[in-house]
Structure formats: structure tokens, C-alpha cells
């Protein structure tokens, strides 16, 4: 704690002198305890750290690169003469100080995962300007051809920075614990529009030379660098409420806006729970289907996959999840990826509370029960004593991609739900709201969270401390005995239908009126080995091969392919060709690959066609499964 307070005093002193901005910028603290040391960044923030980034970049769709300058404001310890940045594939042309004086730099050896350190001898300079361009195939950036978009007329660019990909297009200290403010001026060919995860200063752009327009953005609150995001394409905007709206391609607008109609209500519900939304606007952009994640919580502009559009709002829990990140993840951020549960577990819990506020306790309890099932599947797959079933991941487990989602997301959420059940909802909500207030715009570790919990909730109550089992939840594998289990009545009808079908009965006639959660519970609870006639009976009665809900279709295809059900092959090929969301794509290729030469022949054929359409996040995972070099 003493080290942290010292670091905070240092940055507070610098608030009025950061860079040459005409306004005072907020400078966030860094943590200097051992558990906050990010071994996946080359930065040494205790010596010199980036506090602000000014980007001035041109988008080159032909070369598929960004090129221009990044000006960095630096806060350094007394006598510090150099700063170390993260870079992966960046081509740096030169570095100067604010007066144009060249500064020496050394690019270190390239690590396949971390990239290369860039050490700049800055001397007394506290603002440096880097001239550079992104390398070919920068992992954060996906450049789409017109044919890969809904409109089919113009190219498209989207980025994905989490966890450590932004170092492929921005030279900075790419660690979640080193929060930075930023501005950007981006030029793009007309008629493309550019959006970023910050305040839009020039909504319509401004002339920037023949056939180009420039767009300016600012983020005046310090954010983790992975939250700097960009998209550019033939996109339009439609308001959803006073401070909410949706960007997407015109051809997708009506469906997207209809699905997102409750977004403003979600923001209001979130604020009622855990305090004011502190980012100004909450807009979303519905991207082309190649986006590798369900969503990404970029401040002021959540990135969303179109796969959540089901026509009935049954999958908008995704929107609630990304909105909740505006508190857990964006406002209070894990200092390192070893503590990713502090982002995702908190957010998964918060998501469920938003869903309860908007759609009622029944839907929330069902979705919480599905989350519990996902946690149990991950625990059973990893083994109850497996080190990766801990919330706080250390050593080799604590990588940026470490931990199964069923642990980081679902065990984290179940932990918080257990705390709520033990101390009572009113007391828990008051604590969690105060937690976000106390640590706003700051990094967090597991140890700091537990210390805060003990100081502000447990407050020396030995009996309560014993009941909560805090250290066991965070630092030990498996599942503590005090776990809050879901209401068994949540899926009583569905579980009876599963038992009936498993015993030789017919497919449930009620399937058509069930909620999405109920349909998923049914499909996921069926025996994993089913004979062809039983699969055909399911498919015929429930029209599963043509399901319009992507979550339901995925659950069915995964089951069908695992049993070599030939009628599911063609729908699976169409499904894999229509999207790049890793949550769906990776498991289906894993299932196919596990089915011997029958499945491997299908996987090879499909992946040859679809790989060029996927983001690097997705191909990196599937390549490992299929042995693609």
C-alpha cells in the first residue's frame, strides 16, 4: 500500500505539467507491488511511463497499413534518461523530441508473443514524437474487402486491441496497468467514415487533401491502452436515446437498431445499481461478422458482433455485458492479465444484474444457471485441482490469453453472487458501488481487491470472514464449499424434457415456446453420444439445422458434428463461412478435428476457404488446432 500511495503522489504532482496540452489531463496511478508487475510488457513504468498519446495517422487500404506519428507525453522518475515501449512489427522511421531533435533508439530482439522492446534515449525530453507505420499483417487490424461487407461497395477496417495487440499499430506501453489519455487525427479515403473509442470532435470529418477526410477524437480520461480502438467503412449512425446510438453499415441498420432498442434503459439500470456512467456517450458499432469476439467494451463505442441479432432481443445479454465493462474493466481495470477475472468476472455478475432489472428475475436466474453450467464444464475439463481453475493466475498460467472463459468469467461471477447471498443484496450493492467510486480510473490486483473488501465490507468480523472464504475463492483451485448454487427450479421443465428424450422419448413439443436459455439448457444437457436416428428426430421436430438464433444453432451443430451427423455438415459449413466469432468458430473446428479423418477432411476443406475471412485472433487459435504453420 505504501508503494502505491507513493506512485499516486508522483502522478498527482505531474497532473498540471503533462505534455504541452492547453488543458490539465488526469494522470492515473500505477501500482508498483510485485503482483502488479506486467511480465508481458517491456515497459518499466516505475522509471518512465507514458501518460498521454497523440496519434496522427493515415489509413492506407491498398497497403493495409496505418502510417504517421505518435507523440507521447512521459512521466519519469528523477534522473531517468530512457523509456521502454512495446512494439510488435512496427516499422519506426525515427524519434525526435518536441523541438525536432533526433533521439537515439534501440529495437531489441523480437519475442514471438511479446514483440520487441523499443528503448528510446530521451534525456531530459518529456514529450517524444515517433514516426512509424504498422507492419504487414498487424494482428490488431483487420482490413476487409468490399466483398466481405454487407454493402459490398467499400472496404472496411476494424481493430481489436485486447489483450496485447495494440502494440502492432501504436507504439506505447501496452500494459493494462499503465493508463493513458489520448487524442487522434485519422485520415481516410472518401466516402469512408472513421469512428474511435473516444469523443468525436469532428463528426463529419474535415478536408484532408484530394479524396480524403480527417476525423479527430479525444479521450480525456486515462484508459488502459488496449481500449484504443478504430473502425472505418461505409457506416451510418442512428440514435437510440439521448446518449446512446448505433453505428453500422446502412444495410444492417434496421435490424441492428431494433435489437438494440433497450440500450438506453440498460445504461439507466446500470447507473441505478453501481453509480454514474462516466464516459459521456454510450454508442455501439455493429461490425461485419468477421469480428472475432462477441463484443469489445471500448469506451464510448462498444464493438459488437452481428451474431447477437436474433430478432427477439434474446441475446442482448451481450450488450449488457459490454456496458457493464464501463465500470468493471474500463473504470477499474486489472493491472495485469493474471487478474483478468477482476474485469470479466465482475462484468459477468453485473451483466446479470442489468438483465434482471430490464427483463425480470426469471430470465436472469436462467442465464445465471447457464453461467454456472459453463463454470462446471470448465472445472471438470481442467480438473478440480488444476492450477488454471484459480481466479488469480500466476506463473505460466497468467498469460494474456490465460484461463478458460468458464473460470475467468463464470467462476468470477459465481464468486460475487456468493458474496451477495452471504452478506445480503443491499449491503453488497452498497459496497460494490463504493468500490467503483474509490478506485475509479485506477488499476487493480486481486490482493488490493481483497484488502478493500476486508476493510470496507468485512470490517473485522471474524465470523463473516470465515463464511466468505475469500482466499480460497481467489487463490485456490476448484470450487469452495460455500458456493451459491442456482435455483434448481429455473429449468425444471427443461431438465424433465432432457431426461425424457435421453430415455427414448420424443423431442419436446414445448421447444418452440421456450426461451433461448431454455433451448440452450436442453441442447447442452443432452447425452453427448446420440445415435443417428435420435439426432434426425431432434432435427426434424425442432428444425435445428435452420435455427435463426446463432447460439442455439452453434449448440446444435457442436453436438451433431461430434456424432458425425451428415445432415449437419452443410449448415456447419455455411455457419463457419458466415462469421469469424472465435466463440463459435474454434469449438466447431475442434469438434471436427476430434472426429478422425471424417471430421478432419471437412475441417481442412472449410478452413482453406474461410481462413482469409477471419481476424488474426480467430486464425491464431484455429491454426494451432489444425496444425497450420
Amino acid at each position: 500500500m505504501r508503494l502505491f500511495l507513493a506512485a499516486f503522489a508522483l502522478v498527482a504532482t505531474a497532473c498540471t505539467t503533462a505534455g504541452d496540452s492547453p488543458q490539465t489531463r488526469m494522470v492515473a496511478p500505477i501500482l508498483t507491488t510485485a503482483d502488479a508487475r506486467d511480465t508481458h510488457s517491456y515497459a518499466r513504468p516505475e522509471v518512465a511511463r507514458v501518460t498521454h498519446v497523440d496519434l496522427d495517422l493515415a489509413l492506407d487500404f491498398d497497403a493495409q497499413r496505418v502510417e504517421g506519428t505518435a507523440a507521447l507525453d512521459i512521466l519519469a522518475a528523477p534522473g531517468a534518461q530512457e523509456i521502454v515501449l512495446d512494439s510488435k512489427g512496427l516499422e519506426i522511421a525515427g524519434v525526435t523530441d518536441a523541438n525536432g531533435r533526433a533521439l537515439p533508439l534501440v529495437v531489441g530482439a523480437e519475442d514471438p508473443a511479446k514483440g520487441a522492446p523499443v528503448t528510446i534515449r530521451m534525456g531530459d525530453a518529456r514529450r517524444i514524437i515517433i514516426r512509424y507505420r504498422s507492419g504487414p499483417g498487424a494482428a490488431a487490424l483487420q482490413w476487409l474487402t468490399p466483398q466481405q461487407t454487407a454493402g459490398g461497395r467499400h472496404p472496411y477496417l476494424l481493430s481489436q486491441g485486447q489483450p496485447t495487440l495494440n502494440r502492432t499499430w501504436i507504439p506505447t506501453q501496452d500494459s493494462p496497468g499503465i493508463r493513458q489519455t489520448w487524442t487522434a487525427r485519422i485520415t481516410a479515403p472518401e466516402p469512408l467514415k472513421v469512428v474511435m473509442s473516444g469523443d468525436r470532435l469532428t463528426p463529419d470529418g474535415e478536408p484532408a487533401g484530394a479524396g480524403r477526410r480527417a476525423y479527430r477524437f479525444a479521450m480525456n480520461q486515462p484508459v488502459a491502452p488496449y481500449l484504443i480502438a478504430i473502425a472505418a467503412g461505409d457506416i451510418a449512425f442512428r440514435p437510440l436515446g439521448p446518449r446512446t446510438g448505433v453505428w453500422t453499415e446502412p444495410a444492417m441498420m434496421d435490424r441492428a437498431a431494433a435489437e438494440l432498442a433497450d440500450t438506453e434503459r440498460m445504461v439507466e439500470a446500470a447507473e441505478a445499481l453501481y453509480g454514474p456512467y462516466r464516459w459521456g456517450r454510450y454508442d455501439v458499432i455493429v461490425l461485419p461478422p468477421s469480428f472475432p469476439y462477441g463484443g469489445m467494451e471500448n469506451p464510448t463505442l462498444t464493438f459488437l458482433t452481428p451474431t447477437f441479432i436474433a430478432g427477439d432481443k434474446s441475446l442482448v445479454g451481450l450488450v449488457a455485458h459490454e456496458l457493464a465493462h464501463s465500470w468493471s474493466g474500463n473504470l477499474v481495470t486489472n493491472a495485469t492479465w493474471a487478474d483478468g477475472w477482476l474485469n470479466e468476472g465482475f462484468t459477468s455478475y453485473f451483466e446479470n444484474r442489468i438483465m434482471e432489472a430490464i427483463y425480470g428475475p426469471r430470465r436472469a436466474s436462467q442465464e445465471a444457471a447457464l453461467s454456472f453450467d459453463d463454470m462446471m464444464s470448465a472445472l471438470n475439463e481442467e480438473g478440480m485441482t488444476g492450477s488454471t481453475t484459480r481466479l488469480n493466475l500466476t506463473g505460466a498460467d497468467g498469460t494474456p490469453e490465460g484461463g478458460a472463459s468458464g473460470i475467468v468469467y463464470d467462476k468470477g461471477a459465481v464468486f460475487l453472487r456468493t458474496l451477495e447471498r452471504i452478506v445480503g443484496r443491499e449491503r453488497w450493492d452498497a459496497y460494490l458501488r463504493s468500490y467503483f467510486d474509490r478506485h475509479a480510473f485506477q488499476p487493480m490486483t486481486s490482493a488490493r481487491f481483497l484488502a478493500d473488501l476486508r476493510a470496507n465490507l468485512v470490517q473485522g468480523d471474524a465470523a463473516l470472514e470465515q463464511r466468505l472464504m475469500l482466499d480460497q475463492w481467489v487463490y485456490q483451485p476448484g470450487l469452495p464449499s460455500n458456493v451459491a448454487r442456482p435455483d434448481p427450479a429455473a429449468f425444471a421443465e427443461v431438465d424433465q424434457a432432457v431426461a425424457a428424450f435421453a430415455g427414448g422419448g420424443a423431442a419436446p413439443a414445448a421447444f418452440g415456446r421456450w426461451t433461448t436459455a431454455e433451448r440452450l439448457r436442453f441442447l447442452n444437457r443432452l447425452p453427448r453420444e446420440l445415435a443417428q436416428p435420435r439426432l434426425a428426430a431432434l432435427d426434424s421436430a425442432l428444425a435445428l439445422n435452420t435455427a435463426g438464433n446463432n447460439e442455439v444453432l452453434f449448440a446444435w451443430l457442436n453436438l451433431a458434428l461430434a456424432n458425425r451427423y451428415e445432415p449437419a455438415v452443410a449448415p456447419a459449413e455455411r455457419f463457419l463461412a458466415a462469421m469469424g466469432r472465435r466463440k463459435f468458430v474454434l469449438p466447431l473446428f475442434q469438434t471436427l478435428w476430434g472426429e478422425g479423418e471424417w471430421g478432419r477432411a471437412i475441417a481442412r476443406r472449410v478452413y482453406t476457404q474461410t481462413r482469409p475471412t477471419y481476424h488474426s485472433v480467430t486464425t491464431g487459435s484455429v491454426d494451432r488446432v489444425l496444425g497450420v504453420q
Side-chain angles (χ1 to χ4, degrees):
M1 180 63 72
R2 189 181 305 114
L3 287 172
F4 171 77
L5 291 175
F8 186 84
L10 175 66
V11 299
T13 302
C15 280
T16 58
T17 59
D20 58 357
S21 171
Q23 63 182 15
T24 299
R25 296 193 183 103
M26 183 189 305
V27 179
I30 57 169
L31 303 183
T32 56
T33 52
D35 61 337
R37 176 77 175 94
D38 186 356
T39 59
H40 301 283
S41 168
Y42 292 106
R44 294 182 291 153
E46 71 284 359
V47 176
R49 57 163 295 198
V50 176
T51 63
H52 179 80
V53 179
D54 288 321
L55 298 173
D56 191 343
L57 301 173
L59 307 184
D60 186 337
F61 281 84
D62 293 329
Q64 298 190 347
R65 295 175 186 254
V66 301
E67 183 171 6
T69 62
L72 311 181
D73 290 342
I74 298 165
L75 179 65
Q81 295 290 300
E82 62 184 30
I83 186 169
V84 183
L85 309 178
D86 294 303
S87 166
K88 194 170 185 183
L90 296 179
E91 299 175 2
I92 298 176
V95 182
T96 67
D97 64 13
N99 297 316
R101 179 173 60 92
L103 299 176
L105 76 153
V106 175
V107 179
E110 183 87 11
D111 178 271
K114 290 172 61 174
V118 177
T119 303
I120 298 169
R121 187 75 177 174
M122 62 187 180
D124 295 330
R126 293 300 178 262
R127 182 173 175 85
I128 62 175
I129 295 92
I130 303 169
R131 291 181 293 110
Y132 75 100
R133 64 176 181 170
S134 60
L141 305 176
Q142 186 175 25
W143 306 83
L144 303 178
T145 65
Q147 293 73 30
Q148 292 174 283
T149 68
R153 297 177 54 211
H154 299 287
Y156 202 109
L157 166 68
L158 61 90
S159 73
Q160 172 53 44
Q162 188 181 11
T164 58
L165 299 182
N166 268 357
R167 65 190 65 180
T168 67
W169 73 286
I170 302 172
T172 188
Q173 293 174 319
D174 190 14
S175 171
I178 310 175
R179 302 176 72 107
Q180 302 154 28
T181 55
W182 60 270
T183 68
R185 176 183 179 272
I186 309 293
T187 71
E190 295 177 319
L192 304 185
K193 288 187 174 69
V194 181
V195 291
M196 292 188 74
S197 52
D199 296 334
R200 289 180 287 122
L201 305 182
T202 54
D204 298 321
E206 54 194 15
R212 296 184 72 86
R213 293 189 75 76
Y215 295 82
R216 297 178 185 269
F217 308 89
M219 173 52 67
N220 293 318
Q221 294 131 317
V223 297
Y226 69 84
L227 293 171
I228 304 174
I230 188 171
D234 177 18
I235 52 177
F237 178 79
R238 182 178 296 181
L240 299 169
R243 55 182 164 170
T244 56
V246 56
W247 290 91
T248 194
E249 294 184 72
M252 297 175 60
M253 181 60 79
D254 288 344
R255 292 180 64 226
E259 206 79 359
L260 292 162
D262 293 333
T263 303
E264 189 80 29
R265 292 176 60 207
M266 286 186 176
V267 177
E268 293 168 354
E271 288 184 313
L273 284 166
Y274 299 128
Y277 176 77
R278 307 186 195 213
W279 305 95
R281 292 195 58 81
Y282 182 74
D283 294 328
V284 304
I285 180 169
V286 180
L287 297 159
S290 62
F291 185 61
Y293 293 128
M296 182 61 210
E297 61 272 17
N298 302 308
T300 76
L301 188 66
T302 279
F303 281 28
L304 291 175
T305 171
T307 64
F308 84 99
I309 299 175
D312 58 4
K313 302 180 185 176
S314 60
L315 301 180
V316 295
L318 173 66
V319 184
H321 184 93
E322 305 309 331
L323 169 63
H325 267 304
S326 301
W327 286 259
S328 47
N330 296 2
L331 193 63
V332 184
T333 310
N334 50 233
T336 75
W337 296 111
D339 279 326
W341 79 275
L342 292 169
N343 283 18
E344 297 298 352
F346 274 63
T347 295
S348 297
Y349 169 83
F350 192 174
E351 166 200 339
N352 192 252
R353 294 294 305 277
I354 295 171
M355 295 300 286
E356 179 180 336
I358 300 295
Y359 301 108
R362 179 172 178 266
R363 177 166 174 177
S365 66
Q366 289 185 340
E367 293 183 0
L370 287 182
S371 171
F372 193 91
D373 285 350
D374 288 342
M375 176 191 70
M376 292 306 300
S377 294
L379 288 170
N380 291 328
E381 183 176 341
E382 301 290 322
M384 284 290 184
T385 61
S387 61
T388 55
T389 66
R390 296 172 301 161
L391 291 178
N392 171 253
L393 298 169
T394 59
D397 296 328
T399 67
E401 295 81 16
S405 62
I407 305 300
V408 176
Y409 290 70
D410 301 308
K411 183 180 174 181
V414 172
F415 173 35
L416 300 195
R417 198 168 292 119
T418 299
L419 297 181
E420 176 203 326
R421 189 169 296 185
I422 291 173
V423 305
R425 174 168 282 192
E426 183 176 356
R427 184 178 175 188
W428 170 249
D429 281 351
Y431 165 75
L432 196 51
R433 180 169 183 151
S434 71
Y435 165 83
F436 289 128
D437 287 340
R438 276 191 301 279
H439 302 289
F441 305 107
Q442 296 179 24
M444 181 59 58
T445 65
S446 287
R448 288 198 74 234
F449 165 65
L450 292 182
D452 187 274
L453 194 67
R454 288 180 166 116
N456 296 287
L457 184 68
V458 180
Q459 297 180 323
D461 185 334
L464 179 58
E465 171 82 26
Q466 186 173 9
R467 290 177 63 204
L468 294 178
M469 305 174 70
L470 300 176
D471 289 338
Q472 188 172 339
W473 270 100
V474 174
Y475 297 120
Q476 298 300 316
L479 192 62
S481 59
N482 69 345
V483 60
R485 297 184 180 275
D487 181 358
F491 289 117
E493 178 188 358
V494 177
D495 290 345
Q496 290 174 2
V498 170
F501 187 84
F511 189 86
R513 64 170 173 78
W514 281 350
T515 65
T516 293
E518 288 169 330
R519 294 178 186 186
L520 291 173
R521 172 79 165 206
F522 176 77
L523 291 170
N524 291 333
R525 284 293 182 101
L526 287 173
R528 295 297 89 186
E529 294 185 10
L530 287 173
Q532 301 291 305
R534 299 299 284 158
L535 292 165
L538 277 176
D539 187 16
S540 175
L542 309 180
L544 292 170
N545 269 341
T546 57
N549 182 300
N550 285 301
E551 293 280 358
V552 172
L553 180 57
F554 164 73
W556 159 249
L557 291 175
N558 214 23
L559 173 64
L561 294 176
N563 288 277
R564 303 188 184 185
Y565 181 61
E566 285 285 352
V569 173
E573 290 185 14
R574 291 192 294 270
F575 188 73
L576 289 167
M579 71 181 62
R581 187 176 176 184
R582 187 173 65 173
K583 174 186 177 181
F584 297 148
V585 171
L586 177 60
L588 289 181
F589 277 112
Q590 287 174 322
T591 296
L592 285 168
W593 203 252
E595 289 304 307
E597 195 49 41
W598 177 86
R600 294 187 177 195
I602 299 169
R604 292 188 194 99
R605 182 180 74 250
V606 174
Y607 197 48
T608 299
Q609 299 171 348
T610 61
R611 188 180 188 279
T613 70
Y614 295 153
H615 190 280
S616 65
V617 167
T618 300
T619 59
S621 298
V622 180
D623 284 353
R624 287 191 288 273
V625 172
L626 273 59
V628 175
Q629 300 297 320

